[in-house]
């Protein structure tokens, strides 16, 4: 009788341990699922207002989030508010050429990018006739990105070239009459050689024309200093690189109202915290159940 009671008690203990292991496996699975889901990169879209016209901007982020975007028509730039939570954040953003572009004399030019006033590492990963995509690396703690171009609302027209047919005019051939040529005897006349005197050639001194030096933001063309238009408005060319033109006074910059967009990164963070809370609650319940089983024993 005692042996039967002991064997029944051991079977109950094994059953309780099996149920506890199953719950523990489910909890661990929820934790791993939450961590993996937070590692995915989602494509998002923001809306920005430029002189009363709304444009959509597609972007993806990794290790950071984007909270808003606004335009600055005075400097032809976009100002993006970000929050870099990891040691390094990556922003991939695509601009439609009809919305925002950087060109010089009809040829693509580089964008100028500033992250909290510094120049971050970036590259242009994709370029088509309709759009341009930039990949920007941002250090931890970055709060604002400014992307400077050259034009808002550019119109791209593909005009077909019409070929004008050329009419061929027939050429009339006129017969040529052969006229006999009379040969006239040529008398040999002795040629007198006249001595040639060497006349000294006077060298005219060439005056060196002083070179005209142009100030910053201008270049020399045909001896005249003209504005250097290779950089966009508000920038000048120094050492072959377009930099911001120094301002004597800070102009009032009108910042049109833009629509802020909250990224999915914060929602994923909330989901991760909720998963840890649920897992902790399940672990506490399992511990209480195990303790109650031992108390019965």
């Amino acid at each position: 009788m005692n042996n039967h009671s002991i064997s029944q008690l051991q079977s109950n203990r094994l059953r309780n341990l099996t149920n506890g292991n199953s719950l523990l496996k489910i909890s661990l699975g929820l934790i791993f699922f939450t961590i993996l889901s937070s590692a995915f990169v989602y494509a998002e879209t923001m809306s920005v207002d430029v002189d009363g016209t709304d444009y959509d901007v597609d972007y993806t982020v990794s290790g950071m989030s984007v909270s808003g975007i606004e335009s600055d028509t005075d400097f032809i730039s976009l100002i993006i508010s970000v929050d870099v939570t990891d040691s390094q954040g990556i922003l991939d953003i695509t601009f439609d050429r009809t919305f925002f572009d950087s060109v010089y004399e009809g040829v693509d030019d580089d964008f100028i990018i500033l992250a909290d006033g510094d120049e971050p590492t970036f590259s242009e990963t994709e370029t088509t006739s309709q759009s341009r995509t930039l990949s920007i690396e941002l250090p931890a703690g970055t709060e604002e990105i400014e992307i400077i171009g050259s034009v808002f609302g550019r119109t791209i027209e593909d005009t077909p070239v019409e070929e004008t047919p050329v009419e061929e005019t027939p050429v009339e051939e006129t017969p040529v009459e052969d006229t006999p040529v009379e040969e006239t005897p040529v008398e040999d006349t002795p040629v007198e050689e006249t001595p040639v005197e060497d006349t000294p050639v006077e060298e005219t001194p060439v005056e060196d024309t002083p070179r005209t030096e142009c100030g910053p933001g201008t270049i020399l063309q045909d001896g005249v200093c003209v504005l250097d238009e290779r950089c966009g408005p508000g920038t000048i060319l120094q050492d072959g690189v377009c930099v911001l033109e120094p301002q004597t006074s800070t102009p009032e910059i009108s910042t049109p109202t833009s629509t802020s967009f909250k990224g999915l990164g914060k929602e994923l963070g909330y989901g991760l915290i909720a998963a840890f809370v649920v897992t902790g609650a399940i672990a506490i319940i399992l511990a209480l159940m195990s303790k109650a089983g031992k108390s019965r024993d």
Side-chain angles (χ1 to χ4, degrees):
M1 189 70 178
N2 292 331
N3 294 332
H4 178 71
S5 300
I6 292 172
S7 61
Q8 186 177 2
L9 182 60
Q10 289 179 351
S11 63
N12 290 333
R13 287 181 179 178
L14 291 174
R15 190 181 299 110
N16 292 332
L17 289 175
T18 304
N19 295 333
N21 290 332
S22 300
L23 292 175
L24 182 61
K25 290 179 180 179
I26 294 172
S27 301
L28 292 175
L30 290 173
I31 293 174
F32 284 124
F33 176 76
T34 305
I35 294 174
L36 290 176
S37 62
S38 63
F40 290 113
V41 177
Y42 295 91
E44 303 181 34
T45 302
M46 288 184 299
S47 180
V48 58
D49 178 78
V50 180
D51 291 337
T53 302
D54 290 334
Y55 295 93
D56 289 335
V57 180
D58 297 330
Y59 71 97
T60 58
V61 294
S62 175
M64 57 175 289
S65 61
V66 178
S67 58
I69 183 172
E70 60 185 17
S71 63
D72 186 348
T73 55
D74 293 334
F75 288 96
I76 316 297
S77 66
L78 295 175
I79 301 173
I80 305 172
S81 300
V82 299
D83 182 16
V84 181
T85 55
D86 290 352
S87 60
Q88 184 183 46
I90 297 177
L91 170 65
D92 293 330
I93 188 167
T94 301
F95 299 121
D96 194 312
R97 289 181 181 269
T98 59
F99 155 57
F100 185 54
D101 204 354
S102 178
V103 293
Y104 176 71
E105 293 183 353
V107 180
D108 287 349
D109 199 5
D110 292 336
F111 289 94
I112 299 175
I113 301 178
L114 301 176
D116 290 341
D118 297 328
E119 296 184 0
T121 302
F122 74 96
S123 61
E124 187 164 345
T125 58
E126 185 177 1
T127 304
T128 67
S129 60
Q130 302 298 325
S131 64
R132 299 174 69 176
T133 301
L134 304 178
S135 180
I136 308 171
E137 299 179 3
L138 301 172
T142 303
E143 298 179 352
E144 184 179 271
I145 308 171
E146 183 175 9
I147 303 176
I148 304 173
S150 64
V151 62
F152 277 126
R154 179 186 177 195
T155 302
I156 303 175
E157 295 181 355
D158 296 330
T159 305
V161 178
E162 297 182 357
E163 296 182 358
T164 304
V166 179
E167 296 181 357
E168 296 182 358
T169 304
V171 180
E172 297 181 357
E173 296 182 358
T174 304
V176 179
E177 298 180 357
D178 293 335
T179 303
V181 179
E182 296 181 359
E183 294 182 358
T184 304
V186 179
E187 296 180 357
D188 294 335
T189 305
V191 179
E192 296 180 359
E193 295 182 357
T194 305
V196 179
E197 297 180 359
D198 295 334
T199 305
V201 179
E202 297 181 359
E203 296 183 356
T204 304
V206 179
E207 297 181 358
D208 294 334
T209 304
R211 182 179 298 175
T212 304
E213 295 183 357
C214 298
T218 60
I219 57 176
L220 185 65
Q221 290 185 356
D222 300 332
V224 180
C225 290
V226 297
L227 289 176
D228 187 0
E229 298 180 353
R230 290 178 293 178
C231 295
T235 59
I236 60 175
L237 185 67
Q238 290 186 357
D239 300 329
V241 180
C242 292
V243 298
L244 290 174
E245 183 178 6
Q247 300 291 330
T248 56
S249 62
T250 305
E252 295 183 358
I253 301 174
S254 60
T255 56
T257 306
S258 62
T259 304
S260 62
F261 185 87
K262 187 175 183 181
L264 293 179
K266 293 184 178 179
E267 294 181 2
L268 293 177
Y270 295 151
L272 182 61
I273 293 172
F276 277 109
V277 172
V278 172
T279 304
I282 293 174
I284 293 172
I285 293 172
L286 292 176
L288 292 176
M289 292 174 63
S290 178
K291 186 175 181 181
K294 291 180 179 181
S295 298
R296 292 195 199 102
D297 296 342

